[in-house]
Each structure stands twice: as C-alpha cells, then as structure tokens.
Amino acid sequence: MQNRLLMLLLPVLLGACATSTDLEETRRQLQSQMSSNAQQASARLSDVEAKLANQRLLDLVNEVSDMKAAMASLRGQNEVMLHQLEETQKRQNDLYADLDMRLGKLERPHGDASAPQGEVAPSAAVAPVDAALAKALDTLRKRDFGAAVTQLKAVMDGYPGSAQGIEANYWLGVSHTMLQQNDAAIDILRRFASQYPKNAHAADALRLVADNQISLQQKDEARVTLRQLIKLYPGTPAAQKAKQRLGAL
C-alpha cells in the first residue's frame, strides 16, 4: 500500500522540482537581460553626453572665431577711419595755410598801400560795396566762417554782377569749404569756375571743388575735376597742386 502511494506521488514531486528549476532559470535570464539593458542604456547616455559636450565645445570655438573676426573687422574700420581723419586734418591745415596766404595778399579797397595795416587812407572815400566786401573778408581772416557766409551773401545780393559781388562769390565757396559744408561748396565753386573761367580765382575754385569731393570720398569725381583743372590752367600753381593731389589719390 505504501509503495503504491509513493508511486502516485513521485510524478507530482518531480513536476514540482522541474517547475522550480525553470523559474530559477527564468529569473537568471531576466536578471541578465536587465543588466544588459542597463549597460546599453548607460552606454547610450554616455554617448549622448559626449556628443552634447562636443557640440558645446564646437559652439564655443565658433563663438570665439566669430568674436576674433569681428574684432579684426573693427580694427580695420578703425584704421580706415584714423587714416581718413588724418587726411581730413591735413587737408584742413592746407586750406587754412592757403586761406591765410591768399587773404594776406589782398589789399584793402581804395586804401593807401603805404598806410599801416588796419588803417585806411583818409584821402579817399570808400565805396559802400568795397566797404561791405572788406568787412566780409576781415571776418573771414578772423576765421568766423559762419558770419563771413552771411556777409558775403549780402555783398552778392546787394551788388549783383559787380566785380566785388563776383569776388564775394568765390570767397563764399571758400567759407563753405572751411565749414566742411562740402555739397554747398562744390555747387558754388563749380558754378563760379564755369561762369568766370578767366577770373584769377577760377583755377583755385576748381581745386577747391576737388578738395570737397575728396572730403566726400568722391575720388573718381575729384580725379575728373583735377584733370580738367590741369587741362584748362596749365602751368598755374593750382595746376601744380592738382598734379600732386592726383598722384596721391
């Protein structure tokens, strides 16, 4: 009887043992898979972090390169501006020297050449137009160019077509040049040289037109003006200066 019962229980016991073994194997497989998945996830995370670090580094390198390029561009612009400022200062100094020289050669209208400067000979009456022009030129000598513009315009408007009005026209262009009102100076001096080509100031008017064009960075136009000056007034001091200026452009 006992043997028969044992035979009946044996398959059950064997089935239970098999089931326990399968479960253990399944557990080990799950643990192994979980460990493998964890390792793969960690590897992918490390790879992503490395890529992000490399991208940040690349972005920083690009930013530094952009900043260096911007600084180089700014240095170049500063050098150009400094050169232009030096050229402008030199032209301004040349204009002042030229202005002083030309104004120094002018005689006061109807004055006694032997009288000390600043004194007018009492023997001759000064015409109103001469007095107005003398006052404007005296203001110009004092480098009060704004006031000189007003006074010179008054001479032109009050005595149109007169020799004094024509003279005032030229010095009006000079005054605008000294004020760096380049467009106005170019217009006035160009018309003066065109209307009065035989005037003693015509060649200098064209030279000043070129100076104003250079100040406006209109170098091609300035070359045309200087060549015109050399062609129309060869051998004059203005033409010699024009040749020097052409060589420097």
Side-chain angles (χ1 to χ4, degrees):
M1 184 68 180
Q2 292 177 346
N3 291 335
R4 186 177 180 181
L5 180 61
L6 182 60
M7 291 297 292
L8 291 172
L9 293 173
L10 183 59
V12 175
L13 291 172
L14 291 173
C17 291
T19 300
S20 176
T21 301
D22 290 342
L23 290 174
E24 181 64 23
E25 179 64 23
T26 300
R27 184 181 66 80
R28 285 197 298 269
Q29 290 178 355
L30 288 174
Q31 287 179 340
S32 176
Q33 184 65 38
M34 290 173 63
S35 176
S36 177
N37 290 342
Q39 291 177 356
Q40 292 177 5
S42 177
R44 287 197 296 271
L45 179 60
S46 298
D47 184 57
V48 170
E49 290 176 342
K51 288 180 179 179
L52 288 175
N54 290 336
Q55 184 61 46
R56 286 195 293 269
L57 179 61
L58 181 60
D59 290 341
L60 287 174
V61 171
N62 290 335
E63 288 180 11
V64 171
S65 298
D66 291 342
M67 290 176 65
K68 287 182 177 179
M71 291 175 64
S73 177
L74 287 174
R75 283 196 297 269
Q77 293 176 12
N78 288 338
E79 289 175 359
V80 171
M81 292 177 63
L82 180 61
H83 179 66
Q84 291 176 349
L85 180 61
E86 290 175 350
E87 284 189 338
T88 300
Q89 186 64 49
K90 183 178 182 301
R91 286 198 302 272
Q92 196 74 7
N93 291 337
D94 290 343
L95 286 172
Y96 276 123
D98 187 65
L99 176 68
D100 291 340
M101 180 187 69
R102 295 191 178 282
L103 287 172
K105 292 180 179 179
L106 293 176
E107 295 182 0
R108 295 181 180 275
H110 300 290
D112 184 353
S114 64
Q117 187 173 0
E119 296 182 8
V120 178
S123 58
V126 178
V129 62
D130 289 327
L133 178 59
K135 179 180 179 181
L137 294 179
D138 190 54
T139 301
L140 195 57
R141 285 188 184 89
K142 296 174 182 177
R143 300 186 180 184
D144 188 355
F145 303 115
V149 165
T150 301
Q151 294 171 2
L152 290 165
K153 284 182 177 178
V155 175
M156 293 172 60
D157 294 339
Y159 307 94
S162 65
Q164 294 86 345
I166 295 172
E167 183 80 5
N169 192 353
Y170 168 73
W171 291 109
L172 179 64
V174 173
S175 298
H176 280 292
T177 299
M178 303 307 295
L179 288 168
Q180 299 184 36
Q181 296 170 348
N182 306 110
D183 289 323
I186 289 172
D187 181 60
I188 292 169
L189 292 165
R190 194 199 301 277
R191 283 191 290 107
F192 177 88
S194 176
Q195 291 175 357
Y196 312 108
K198 295 183 180 181
N199 188 279
H201 297 306
D204 285 316
L206 286 176
R207 184 173 60 84
L208 288 175
V209 168
D211 284 340
N212 282 283
Q213 289 169 331
I214 293 172
S215 294
L216 293 174
Q217 298 301 309
Q218 298 173 355
K219 293 188 177 181
D220 290 338
E221 292 85 344
R223 290 187 184 96
V224 172
T225 302
L226 292 170
R227 292 189 182 105
Q228 180 186 12
L229 164 56
I230 295 170
K231 179 180 179 180
L232 293 176
Y233 305 98
T236 62
Q240 294 300 319
K241 291 181 180 180
K243 290 178 182 179
Q244 295 173 2
R245 187 58 56 86
L246 266 177
L249 286 178

